[in-house]
Amino acid sequence: DTAVSQTPKYLVTQMGNDKSIKCEQNLGHDTMYWYKQDSKKFLKIMFSYNNKELIINETVPNRFSPKSPDKAHLNLHINSLELGDSAVYFCASSQDDQGSNYGYTFGSGTRLTVV
Amino acid sequence: KQEVTQIPAALSVPEGENLVLNCSFTDSAIYNLQWFRQDPGKGLTSLLLIQSSQREQTSGRLNASLDKSSGRSTLYIAASQPGDSATYLCAVDNFNKFYFGSGTKLNVKP
Protein backbone atom coordinates (compact mmCIF):
# COMPACT_ATOMS: atom_id res chain seq x y z
CA ASP A 1 0.00 0.00 0.00
CA THR A 2 3.02 2.28 -0.46
CA ALA A 3 1.88 5.68 -1.71
CA VAL A 4 4.92 6.63 -3.78
CA SER A 5 7.14 3.74 -4.71
CA GLN A 6 10.49 3.87 -6.41
CA THR A 7 12.45 1.01 -7.86
CA PRO A 8 15.12 0.01 -7.44
CA LYS A 9 16.06 1.09 -3.92
CA TYR A 10 19.74 0.65 -4.68
CA LEU A 11 21.50 0.75 -8.01
CA VAL A 12 25.19 0.19 -8.57
CA THR A 13 26.42 0.52 -12.11
CA GLN A 14 29.50 1.29 -14.14
CA MET A 15 30.34 4.57 -15.81
CA GLY A 16 28.95 4.89 -19.28
CA ASN A 17 25.93 2.67 -18.72
CA ASP A 18 22.33 3.70 -19.27
CA LYS A 19 19.90 3.11 -16.42
CA SER A 20 16.32 3.87 -15.42
CA ILE A 21 14.63 4.52 -12.12
CA LYS A 22 10.90 3.95 -11.92
CA CYS A 23 8.37 5.80 -9.85
CA GLU A 24 4.72 5.11 -9.31
CA GLN A 25 2.12 6.75 -7.10
CA ASN A 26 -1.29 5.41 -6.18
CA LEU A 27 -2.58 8.60 -4.56
CA GLY A 28 -4.36 9.94 -7.59
CA HIS A 29 -2.06 12.98 -7.55
CA ASP A 30 -1.75 15.13 -10.65
CA THR A 31 1.86 16.18 -10.28
CA MET A 32 5.04 14.16 -9.90
CA TYR A 33 8.61 15.28 -9.29
CA TRP A 34 12.15 14.05 -9.37
CA TYR A 35 14.62 15.43 -6.83
CA LYS A 36 18.32 14.80 -6.47
CA GLN A 37 19.75 14.80 -2.99
CA ASP A 38 23.35 15.91 -2.97
CA SER A 39 26.12 14.88 -0.61
CA LYS A 40 25.05 17.58 1.85
CA LYS A 41 21.54 16.16 1.91
CA PHE A 42 20.00 19.11 0.10
CA LEU A 43 17.14 18.21 -2.13
CA LYS A 44 17.19 19.86 -5.53
CA ILE A 45 14.33 19.58 -7.93
CA MET A 46 15.12 18.19 -11.35
CA PHE A 47 11.79 17.74 -13.13
CA SER A 48 8.11 18.09 -12.53
CA TYR A 49 5.24 16.68 -14.55
CA ASN A 50 1.60 17.62 -14.27
CA ASN A 51 -0.81 15.25 -15.96
CA LYS A 52 1.95 13.88 -18.17
CA GLU A 53 3.13 17.34 -19.18
CA LEU A 54 6.55 18.66 -18.29
CA ILE A 55 6.22 21.82 -16.17
CA ILE A 56 9.60 22.10 -14.48
CA ASN A 57 12.88 21.29 -16.13
CA GLU A 58 15.75 22.57 -14.04
CA THR A 59 19.26 22.80 -15.35
CA VAL A 60 20.32 19.20 -15.46
CA PRO A 61 22.46 17.47 -18.08
CA ASN A 62 20.44 16.29 -21.05
CA ARG A 63 21.63 12.78 -20.24
CA PHE A 64 18.72 12.82 -17.76
CA SER A 65 15.35 12.39 -19.36
CA PRO A 66 12.03 11.94 -17.58
CA LYS A 67 9.28 9.85 -19.09
CA SER A 68 5.67 9.95 -17.96
CA PRO A 69 3.55 7.27 -19.64
CA ASP A 70 0.57 8.26 -17.49
CA LYS A 71 -0.04 10.54 -14.54
CA ALA A 72 0.66 7.76 -12.03
CA HIS A 73 4.16 7.11 -13.33
CA LEU A 74 7.25 9.23 -13.78
CA ASN A 75 10.40 7.36 -14.73
CA LEU A 76 13.89 8.78 -14.87
CA HIS A 77 16.28 7.63 -17.58
CA ILE A 78 19.95 8.42 -17.32
CA ASN A 79 22.30 7.88 -20.24
CA SER A 80 26.08 7.61 -20.18
CA LEU A 81 26.30 7.60 -16.41
CA GLU A 82 29.12 9.56 -14.79
CA LEU A 83 30.71 9.33 -11.36
CA GLY A 84 29.12 12.64 -10.39
CA ASP A 85 25.66 11.19 -10.92
CA SER A 86 26.06 9.17 -7.73
CA ALA A 87 23.39 10.44 -5.34
CA VAL A 88 20.04 9.60 -3.87
CA TYR A 89 17.15 10.37 -6.21
CA PHE A 90 13.70 11.01 -4.77
CA CYS A 91 10.41 10.87 -6.53
CA ALA A 92 7.50 12.82 -5.09
CA SER A 93 3.91 13.62 -5.93
CA SER A 94 1.39 16.25 -4.99
CA GLN A 95 -2.29 16.86 -5.47
CA ASP A 96 -1.73 19.65 -7.94
CA ASP A 97 1.11 21.72 -9.29
CA GLN A 98 0.73 24.09 -6.35
CA GLY A 99 2.33 21.44 -4.19
CA SER A 100 -0.54 21.20 -1.74
CA ASN A 101 0.84 20.94 1.77
CA TYR A 102 -1.23 17.92 2.61
CA GLY A 103 -0.70 16.16 -0.67
CA TYR A 104 3.04 16.30 -0.98
CA THR A 105 4.45 12.78 -0.65
CA PHE A 106 7.98 11.56 -1.20
CA GLY A 107 9.17 8.10 -2.22
CA SER A 108 11.84 6.45 -0.13
CA GLY A 109 14.62 7.23 -2.56
CA THR A 110 16.93 5.37 -4.92
CA ARG A 111 20.60 5.33 -4.02
CA LEU A 112 22.57 5.38 -7.26
CA THR A 113 26.27 4.56 -7.13
CA VAL A 114 28.33 4.90 -10.27
CA VAL A 115 31.67 3.10 -10.20
CA LYS B 1 4.61 7.19 13.43
CA GLN B 2 6.33 10.56 13.14
CA GLU B 3 4.05 13.57 13.24
CA VAL B 4 5.25 17.02 12.29
CA THR B 5 3.32 20.13 13.23
CA GLN B 6 3.95 23.69 12.12
CA ILE B 7 2.63 26.81 13.77
CA PRO B 8 1.28 29.20 12.65
CA ALA B 9 -0.50 27.93 9.55
CA ALA B 10 -0.40 31.39 8.03
CA LEU B 11 1.38 34.61 8.81
CA SER B 12 1.12 38.06 7.31
CA VAL B 13 3.71 40.69 8.26
CA PRO B 14 4.85 44.06 6.96
CA GLU B 15 8.16 44.23 5.18
CA GLY B 16 11.20 44.55 7.44
CA GLU B 17 9.86 42.57 10.37
CA ASN B 18 11.77 39.72 11.96
CA LEU B 19 9.71 36.57 12.33
CA VAL B 20 9.83 33.05 13.71
CA LEU B 21 8.25 29.93 12.29
CA ASN B 22 7.83 26.90 14.52
CA CYS B 23 8.04 23.19 13.85
CA SER B 24 7.54 20.33 16.29
CA PHE B 25 7.91 16.59 15.82
CA THR B 26 6.92 13.62 17.93
CA ASP B 27 9.76 11.15 17.33
CA SER B 28 13.17 12.53 18.22
CA ALA B 29 15.04 9.70 16.47
CA ILE B 30 15.67 11.76 13.39
CA TYR B 31 18.56 11.81 10.98
CA ASN B 32 18.19 15.48 10.14
CA LEU B 33 15.64 18.25 9.79
CA GLN B 34 15.22 20.46 6.78
CA TRP B 35 13.42 23.67 6.14
CA PHE B 36 12.04 24.09 2.65
CA ARG B 37 10.52 26.93 0.77
CA GLN B 38 7.64 26.09 -1.51
CA ASP B 39 6.65 28.33 -4.37
CA PRO B 40 3.62 27.44 -6.48
CA GLY B 41 4.58 25.32 -9.43
CA LYS B 42 8.21 25.11 -8.42
CA GLY B 43 8.35 22.21 -6.01
CA LEU B 44 10.50 22.57 -2.96
CA THR B 45 13.68 24.50 -2.43
CA SER B 46 15.83 23.34 0.42
CA LEU B 47 16.79 26.30 2.64
CA LEU B 48 18.60 24.89 5.63
CA LEU B 49 19.47 21.45 6.83
CA ILE B 50 20.37 20.65 10.42
CA GLN B 51 21.95 17.32 11.20
CA SER B 52 20.69 15.59 14.33
CA SER B 53 23.97 16.37 16.11
CA GLN B 54 23.75 20.10 15.34
CA ARG B 55 21.88 22.86 17.13
CA GLU B 56 21.80 25.61 14.56
CA GLN B 57 22.37 26.52 10.93
CA THR B 58 22.50 29.92 9.29
CA SER B 59 22.23 31.07 5.71
CA GLY B 60 22.01 34.78 5.00
CA ARG B 61 18.94 36.17 6.75
CA LEU B 62 17.78 32.72 7.78
CA ASN B 63 18.62 30.93 10.99
CA ALA B 64 17.27 27.53 11.96
CA SER B 65 17.61 25.93 15.37
CA LEU B 66 17.03 22.38 16.47
CA ASP B 67 16.26 21.02 19.92
CA LYS B 68 16.00 17.32 19.24
CA SER B 69 15.23 16.28 22.80
CA SER B 70 12.15 18.47 22.93
CA GLY B 71 11.19 17.81 19.32
CA ARG B 72 11.31 21.43 18.21
CA SER B 73 12.83 23.53 15.48
CA THR B 74 12.45 27.19 14.65
CA LEU B 75 13.17 29.13 11.49
CA TYR B 76 14.04 32.75 12.10
CA ILE B 77 13.80 35.17 9.18
CA ALA B 78 15.42 38.54 9.70
CA ALA B 79 14.34 41.73 7.95
CA SER B 80 11.64 40.06 5.91
CA GLN B 81 11.09 41.06 2.27
CA PRO B 82 8.14 40.63 -0.11
CA GLY B 83 10.22 38.05 -1.98
CA ASP B 84 10.13 35.89 1.13
CA SER B 85 6.42 35.30 0.57
CA ALA B 86 5.97 31.57 0.13
CA THR B 87 5.01 28.50 2.07
CA TYR B 88 7.68 27.23 4.45
CA LEU B 89 7.82 23.56 5.23
CA CYS B 90 9.85 21.68 7.74
CA ALA B 91 10.60 18.02 7.16
CA VAL B 92 12.21 15.47 9.38
CA ASP B 93 14.28 12.76 7.86
CA ASN B 94 13.82 9.42 9.56
CA PHE B 95 16.55 7.87 7.47
CA ASN B 96 15.34 8.80 4.02
CA LYS B 97 11.69 8.78 4.91
CA PHE B 98 10.54 12.35 4.93
CA TYR B 99 7.75 13.57 7.15
CA PHE B 100 6.57 17.03 6.33
CA GLY B 101 4.74 19.53 8.39
CA SER B 102 1.69 21.17 6.87
CA GLY B 103 3.58 24.38 6.29
CA THR B 104 3.35 28.02 7.22
CA LYS B 105 2.12 30.30 4.49
CA LEU B 106 3.99 33.57 4.80
CA ASN B 107 2.91 36.81 3.21
CA VAL B 108 5.25 39.77 3.50
CA LYS B 109 3.49 42.97 2.59
CA PRO B 110 5.41 45.79 0.88
Side-chain angles (χ1 to χ4, degrees), chain A residues 33 35 37 40-43 45 56 90 97-102 104 106-108 111, chain B residues 31-32 34 36 38 40-44 46-49 51 87 89 96 98 100 102:
Chain A
Y33 310 81
Y35 283 79
Q37 188 177 48
K40 295 181 180 178
K41 294 290 188 177
F42 274 80
L43 281 166
I45 192 165
I56 295 175
F90 285 93
D97 63 0
Q98 302 301 310
S100 165
N101 296 336
Y102 293 95
Y104 211 109
F106 271 83
S108 56
R111 182 173 293 279
Chain B
Y31 187 49
N32 61 51
Q34 296 192 49
F36 292 85
Q38 186 178 48
K42 292 188 179 181
L44 298 181
S46 193
L47 298 173
L48 288 163
L49 181 147
Q51 300 289 354
T87 297
L89 295 164
N96 285 340
F98 288 91
F100 280 85
S102 53

Short mmCIF file of all heavy atoms in Angstrom, two decimals, chain A residues 33 35 37 40-43 45 56 90 97-102 104 106-108 111, chain B residues 31-32 34 36 38 40-44 46-49 51 87 89 96 98 100 102:
data_model
loop_
_atom_site.label_atom_id
_atom_site.label_comp_id
_atom_site.label_asym_id
_atom_site.label_seq_id
_atom_site.Cartn_x
_atom_site.Cartn_y
_atom_site.Cartn_z
N TYR A 33 7.33 14.57 -9.29
CA TYR A 33 8.61 15.28 -9.29
C TYR A 33 9.77 14.29 -9.18
O TYR A 33 9.63 13.22 -8.60
CB TYR A 33 8.72 16.22 -8.08
CG TYR A 33 7.56 17.15 -7.83
CD1 TYR A 33 6.41 16.70 -7.18
CD2 TYR A 33 7.62 18.48 -8.20
CE1 TYR A 33 5.35 17.55 -6.93
CE2 TYR A 33 6.55 19.34 -7.94
CZ TYR A 33 5.43 18.87 -7.31
OH TYR A 33 4.38 19.71 -7.05
N TYR A 35 13.65 14.63 -7.56
CA TYR A 35 14.62 15.43 -6.83
C TYR A 35 15.93 14.66 -6.73
O TYR A 35 15.93 13.44 -6.62
CB TYR A 35 14.14 15.70 -5.40
CG TYR A 35 13.09 16.75 -5.26
CD1 TYR A 35 11.77 16.48 -5.54
CD2 TYR A 35 13.41 18.04 -4.85
CE1 TYR A 35 10.79 17.44 -5.41
CE2 TYR A 35 12.43 19.01 -4.71
CZ TYR A 35 11.13 18.70 -4.98
OH TYR A 35 10.17 19.66 -4.85
N GLN A 37 19.22 14.40 -4.29
CA GLN A 37 19.75 14.80 -2.99
C GLN A 37 21.27 14.74 -3.06
O GLN A 37 21.85 13.67 -3.28
CB GLN A 37 19.24 13.88 -1.89
CG GLN A 37 19.60 14.36 -0.49
CD GLN A 37 19.01 13.48 0.57
OE1 GLN A 37 19.12 12.27 0.48
NE2 GLN A 37 18.40 14.08 1.58
N LYS A 40 25.38 16.84 0.63
CA LYS A 40 25.05 17.58 1.85
C LYS A 40 23.59 17.40 2.23
O LYS A 40 23.09 18.10 3.10
CB LYS A 40 25.36 19.07 1.65
CG LYS A 40 26.84 19.35 1.46
CD LYS A 40 27.08 20.84 1.29
CE LYS A 40 28.57 21.11 1.10
NZ LYS A 40 28.83 22.54 0.89
N LYS A 41 22.93 16.51 1.60
CA LYS A 41 21.54 16.16 1.91
C LYS A 41 20.53 17.18 1.43
O LYS A 41 19.36 17.11 1.79
CB LYS A 41 21.33 15.91 3.41
CG LYS A 41 22.07 14.69 3.91
CD LYS A 41 21.47 13.44 3.37
CE LYS A 41 22.09 12.21 4.02
NZ LYS A 41 21.45 10.97 3.54
N PHE A 42 20.97 18.16 0.65
CA PHE A 42 20.00 19.11 0.10
C PHE A 42 19.27 18.47 -1.06
O PHE A 42 19.87 17.81 -1.91
CB PHE A 42 20.70 20.38 -0.38
CG PHE A 42 20.89 21.37 0.71
CD1 PHE A 42 21.93 21.25 1.61
CD2 PHE A 42 20.03 22.44 0.85
CE1 PHE A 42 22.11 22.16 2.63
CE2 PHE A 42 20.20 23.36 1.86
CZ PHE A 42 21.23 23.23 2.75
N LEU A 43 17.97 18.70 -1.05
CA LEU A 43 17.14 18.21 -2.13
C LEU A 43 17.02 19.29 -3.19
O LEU A 43 16.64 20.42 -2.92
CB LEU A 43 15.74 17.88 -1.62
CG LEU A 43 15.59 16.57 -0.90
CD1 LEU A 43 14.27 16.54 -0.17
CD2 LEU A 43 15.66 15.41 -1.86
N ILE A 45 15.29 20.08 -6.96
CA ILE A 45 14.33 19.58 -7.93
C ILE A 45 14.99 19.46 -9.30
O ILE A 45 15.81 20.27 -9.69
CB ILE A 45 13.08 20.48 -8.01
CG1 ILE A 45 11.99 19.77 -8.81
CG2 ILE A 45 13.41 21.86 -8.55
CD1 ILE A 45 10.62 20.37 -8.65
N ILE A 56 8.34 21.61 -15.02
CA ILE A 56 9.60 22.10 -14.48
C ILE A 56 10.72 21.28 -15.08
O ILE A 56 10.67 20.06 -15.10
CB ILE A 56 9.68 21.98 -12.95
CG1 ILE A 56 8.64 22.87 -12.28
CG2 ILE A 56 11.07 22.33 -12.44
CD1 ILE A 56 8.58 22.70 -10.78
N PHE A 90 15.03 11.14 -5.39
CA PHE A 90 13.70 11.01 -4.77
C PHE A 90 12.62 11.39 -5.77
O PHE A 90 12.71 12.41 -6.45
CB PHE A 90 13.58 11.94 -3.56
CG PHE A 90 14.32 11.46 -2.36
CD1 PHE A 90 15.61 11.89 -2.13
CD2 PHE A 90 13.74 10.59 -1.46
CE1 PHE A 90 16.31 11.46 -1.02
CE2 PHE A 90 14.43 10.16 -0.34
CZ PHE A 90 15.71 10.59 -0.13
N ASP A 97 -0.22 21.15 -9.10
CA ASP A 97 1.11 21.72 -9.29
C ASP A 97 1.40 22.87 -8.33
O ASP A 97 2.42 23.50 -8.39
CB ASP A 97 1.33 22.16 -10.75
CG ASP A 97 0.37 23.27 -11.15
OD1 ASP A 97 -0.47 23.68 -10.33
OD2 ASP A 97 0.44 23.71 -12.30
N GLN A 98 0.45 23.13 -7.41
CA GLN A 98 0.73 24.09 -6.35
C GLN A 98 1.44 23.44 -5.19
O GLN A 98 1.80 24.10 -4.23
CB GLN A 98 -0.60 24.70 -5.84
CG GLN A 98 -1.41 25.39 -6.93
CD GLN A 98 -0.63 26.51 -7.59
OE1 GLN A 98 -0.06 27.36 -6.93
NE2 GLN A 98 -0.56 26.51 -8.90
N GLY A 99 1.62 22.12 -5.27
CA GLY A 99 2.33 21.44 -4.19
C GLY A 99 1.57 21.51 -2.89
O GLY A 99 2.13 21.86 -1.87
N SER A 100 0.30 21.18 -2.93
CA SER A 100 -0.54 21.20 -1.74
C SER A 100 0.17 20.62 -0.53
O SER A 100 0.75 19.55 -0.58
CB SER A 100 -1.81 20.40 -2.02
OG SER A 100 -2.48 20.10 -0.82
N ASN A 101 0.11 21.36 0.57
CA ASN A 101 0.84 20.94 1.77
C ASN A 101 0.46 19.55 2.24
O ASN A 101 1.30 18.81 2.70
CB ASN A 101 0.57 21.93 2.90
CG ASN A 101 1.10 23.30 2.56
OD1 ASN A 101 2.00 23.42 1.75
ND2 ASN A 101 0.55 24.32 3.16
N TYR A 102 -0.80 19.21 2.12
CA TYR A 102 -1.23 17.92 2.61
C TYR A 102 -1.03 16.81 1.60
O TYR A 102 -1.12 15.66 1.93
CB TYR A 102 -2.71 17.99 3.03
CG TYR A 102 -2.92 18.88 4.22
CD1 TYR A 102 -3.28 20.22 4.06
CD2 TYR A 102 -2.75 18.39 5.50
CE1 TYR A 102 -3.46 21.03 5.15
CE2 TYR A 102 -2.94 19.21 6.59
CZ TYR A 102 -3.30 20.52 6.41
OH TYR A 102 -3.49 21.32 7.51
N TYR A 104 1.67 16.46 -0.50
CA TYR A 104 3.04 16.30 -0.98
C TYR A 104 3.63 15.05 -0.34
O TYR A 104 3.81 15.00 0.86
CB TYR A 104 3.88 17.53 -0.62
CG TYR A 104 4.96 17.84 -1.60
CD1 TYR A 104 4.87 18.94 -2.43
CD2 TYR A 104 6.07 17.02 -1.71
CE1 TYR A 104 5.88 19.22 -3.35
CE2 TYR A 104 7.08 17.29 -2.61
CZ TYR A 104 6.97 18.40 -3.42
OH TYR A 104 7.96 18.67 -4.31
N PHE A 106 6.71 11.99 -0.62
CA PHE A 106 7.98 11.56 -1.20
C PHE A 106 8.07 10.04 -1.23
O PHE A 106 7.56 9.35 -0.33
CB PHE A 106 9.15 12.06 -0.34
CG PHE A 106 9.65 13.41 -0.73
CD1 PHE A 106 9.03 14.55 -0.27
CD2 PHE A 106 10.75 13.56 -1.55
CE1 PHE A 106 9.50 15.81 -0.62
CE2 PHE A 106 11.23 14.80 -1.91
CZ PHE A 106 10.60 15.93 -1.44
N GLY A 107 8.76 9.50 -2.23
CA GLY A 107 9.17 8.10 -2.22
C GLY A 107 10.33 7.94 -1.27
O GLY A 107 10.83 8.91 -0.71
N SER A 108 10.78 6.73 -1.10
CA SER A 108 11.84 6.45 -0.13
C SER A 108 13.23 6.62 -0.71
O SER A 108 14.22 6.50 0.01
CB SER A 108 11.67 5.05 0.44
OG SER A 108 11.64 4.12 -0.62
N ARG A 111 19.18 4.99 -4.17
CA ARG A 111 20.60 5.33 -4.02
C ARG A 111 21.35 4.80 -5.23
O ARG A 111 21.49 3.60 -5.41
CB ARG A 111 21.17 4.76 -2.73
CG ARG A 111 22.63 5.13 -2.50
CD ARG A 111 23.14 4.69 -1.15
NE ARG A 111 22.50 5.41 -0.06
CZ ARG A 111 22.85 6.62 0.36
NH1 ARG A 111 23.86 7.25 -0.22
NH2 ARG A 111 22.22 7.19 1.36
N TYR B 31 17.25 11.74 11.61
CA TYR B 31 18.56 11.81 10.98
C TYR B 31 18.96 13.28 10.77
O TYR B 31 20.07 13.70 11.01
CB TYR B 31 18.49 11.05 9.66
CG TYR B 31 19.79 10.87 8.94
CD1 TYR B 31 20.92 10.41 9.60
CD2 TYR B 31 19.88 11.13 7.59
CE1 TYR B 31 22.11 10.23 8.92
CE2 TYR B 31 21.05 10.96 6.90
CZ TYR B 31 22.17 10.50 7.58
OH TYR B 31 23.34 10.32 6.91
N ASN B 32 17.99 14.05 10.27
CA ASN B 32 18.19 15.48 10.14
C ASN B 32 16.84 16.16 10.00
O ASN B 32 15.80 15.50 9.92
CB ASN B 32 19.10 15.84 8.95
CG ASN B 32 18.53 15.39 7.61
OD1 ASN B 32 17.38 15.67 7.29
ND2 ASN B 32 19.33 14.69 6.83
N GLN B 34 15.01 19.48 7.83
CA GLN B 34 15.22 20.46 6.78
C GLN B 34 14.08 21.46 6.77
O GLN B 34 12.93 21.11 7.04
CB GLN B 34 15.28 19.79 5.40
CG GLN B 34 16.43 18.84 5.22
CD GLN B 34 16.62 18.43 3.77
OE1 GLN B 34 16.66 19.26 2.89
NE2 GLN B 34 16.74 17.13 3.54
N PHE B 36 12.21 23.90 4.08
CA PHE B 36 12.04 24.09 2.65
C PHE B 36 11.19 25.33 2.41
O PHE B 36 10.35 25.70 3.22
CB PHE B 36 11.30 22.92 2.01
CG PHE B 36 12.05 21.62 1.98
CD1 PHE B 36 12.01 20.78 3.06
CD2 PHE B 36 12.76 21.25 0.87
CE1 PHE B 36 12.68 19.56 3.04
CE2 PHE B 36 13.43 20.03 0.82
CZ PHE B 36 13.38 19.19 1.91
N GLN B 38 8.47 26.60 -0.43
CA GLN B 38 7.64 26.09 -1.51
C GLN B 38 6.98 27.24 -2.23
O GLN B 38 6.21 28.00 -1.64
CB GLN B 38 6.60 25.14 -0.94
CG GLN B 38 5.76 24.44 -1.97
CD GLN B 38 4.80 23.48 -1.31
OE1 GLN B 38 4.11 23.83 -0.36
NE2 GLN B 38 4.74 22.26 -1.80
N PRO B 40 4.57 28.14 -5.60
CA PRO B 40 3.62 27.44 -6.48
C PRO B 40 4.25 27.06 -7.81
O PRO B 40 4.87 27.88 -8.47
CB PRO B 40 2.51 28.49 -6.69
CG PRO B 40 2.57 29.34 -5.48
CD PRO B 40 4.04 29.42 -5.12
N GLY B 41 4.08 25.80 -8.15
CA GLY B 41 4.58 25.32 -9.43
C GLY B 41 6.07 25.08 -9.49
O GLY B 41 6.59 24.72 -10.54
N LYS B 42 6.75 25.26 -8.37
CA LYS B 42 8.21 25.11 -8.42
C LYS B 42 8.73 24.05 -7.47
O LYS B 42 9.92 23.96 -7.24
CB LYS B 42 8.87 26.45 -8.09
CG LYS B 42 8.66 27.50 -9.16
CD LYS B 42 9.51 28.73 -8.88
CE LYS B 42 9.32 29.77 -9.97
NZ LYS B 42 10.15 30.96 -9.73
N GLY B 43 7.87 23.24 -6.91
CA GLY B 43 8.35 22.21 -6.01
C GLY B 43 8.93 22.81 -4.76
O GLY B 43 8.55 23.88 -4.32
N LEU B 44 9.89 22.13 -4.21
CA LEU B 44 10.50 22.57 -2.96
C LEU B 44 11.92 23.03 -3.18
O LEU B 44 12.65 22.45 -3.97
CB LEU B 44 10.53 21.42 -1.95
CG LEU B 44 9.21 20.84 -1.50
CD1 LEU B 44 9.47 19.74 -0.49
CD2 LEU B 44 8.34 21.90 -0.89
N SER B 46 15.27 23.58 -0.90
CA SER B 46 15.83 23.34 0.42
C SER B 46 16.55 24.60 0.90
O SER B 46 17.37 25.17 0.18
CB SER B 46 16.81 22.16 0.35
OG SER B 46 17.15 21.70 1.63
N LEU B 47 16.21 25.06 2.11
CA LEU B 47 16.79 26.30 2.64
C LEU B 47 17.92 26.01 3.62
O LEU B 47 19.01 26.57 3.52
CB LEU B 47 15.71 27.11 3.37
CG LEU B 47 14.55 27.59 2.52
CD1 LEU B 47 13.48 28.23 3.40
CD2 LEU B 47 15.02 28.59 1.47
N LEU B 48 17.62 25.20 4.60
CA LEU B 48 18.60 24.89 5.63
C LEU B 48 18.42 23.44 6.05
O LEU B 48 17.30 22.94 6.08
CB LEU B 48 18.40 25.78 6.87
CG LEU B 48 18.81 27.24 6.72
CD1 LEU B 48 18.20 28.09 7.83
CD2 LEU B 48 20.34 27.37 6.75
N LEU B 49 19.51 22.82 6.35
CA LEU B 49 19.47 21.45 6.83
C LEU B 49 20.26 21.39 8.12
O LEU B 49 21.38 21.91 8.20
CB LEU B 49 20.08 20.50 5.79
CG LEU B 49 20.11 19.01 6.14
CD1 LEU B 49 19.93 18.19 4.89
CD2 LEU B 49 21.39 18.63 6.86
N GLN B 51 21.73 18.72 10.83
CA GLN B 51 21.95 17.32 11.20
C GLN B 51 21.50 17.11 12.64
O GLN B 51 21.46 18.05 13.43
CB GLN B 51 23.43 16.96 11.06
CG GLN B 51 24.00 17.14 9.67
CD GLN B 51 23.50 16.11 8.68
OE1 GLN B 51 22.80 15.17 9.04
NE2 GLN B 51 23.87 16.28 7.41
N THR B 87 5.35 29.43 1.00
CA THR B 87 5.01 28.50 2.07
C THR B 87 6.30 27.84 2.55
O THR B 87 7.12 27.41 1.74
CB THR B 87 4.03 27.42 1.58
OG1 THR B 87 2.81 28.06 1.20
CG2 THR B 87 3.74 26.40 2.68
N LEU B 89 8.07 24.90 4.72
CA LEU B 89 7.82 23.56 5.23
C LEU B 89 9.02 23.06 6.00
O LEU B 89 10.16 23.28 5.59
CB LEU B 89 7.56 22.58 4.08
CG LEU B 89 6.31 22.82 3.24
CD1 LEU B 89 6.40 22.06 1.94
CD2 LEU B 89 5.09 22.38 4.01
N ASN B 96 15.84 8.76 5.38
CA ASN B 96 15.34 8.80 4.02
C ASN B 96 13.84 8.65 3.88
O ASN B 96 13.33 8.47 2.79
CB ASN B 96 16.05 7.80 3.11
CG ASN B 96 17.44 8.27 2.75
OD1 ASN B 96 17.74 9.45 2.85
ND2 ASN B 96 18.28 7.37 2.34
N PHE B 98 10.81 10.98 4.55
CA PHE B 98 10.54 12.35 4.93
C PHE B 98 9.13 12.51 5.46
O PHE B 98 8.18 12.06 4.87
CB PHE B 98 10.71 13.27 3.72
CG PHE B 98 12.14 13.46 3.32
CD1 PHE B 98 12.73 12.63 2.40
CD2 PHE B 98 12.91 14.47 3.89
CE1 PHE B 98 14.04 12.80 2.03
CE2 PHE B 98 14.22 14.63 3.53
CZ PHE B 98 14.80 13.80 2.61
N PHE B 100 6.71 15.59 6.45
CA PHE B 100 6.57 17.03 6.33
C PHE B 100 5.53 17.57 7.28
O PHE B 100 4.52 16.92 7.56
CB PHE B 100 6.12 17.40 4.91
CG PHE B 100 7.23 17.40 3.90
CD1 PHE B 100 7.61 16.24 3.28
CD2 PHE B 100 7.89 18.58 3.57
CE1 PHE B 100 8.63 16.23 2.34
CE2 PHE B 100 8.91 18.59 2.64
CZ PHE B 100 9.28 17.42 2.02
N SER B 102 2.71 20.66 7.80
CA SER B 102 1.69 21.17 6.87
C SER B 102 2.04 22.55 6.34
O SER B 102 1.36 23.07 5.47
CB SER B 102 0.34 21.20 7.55
OG SER B 102 0.43 21.92 8.77
#
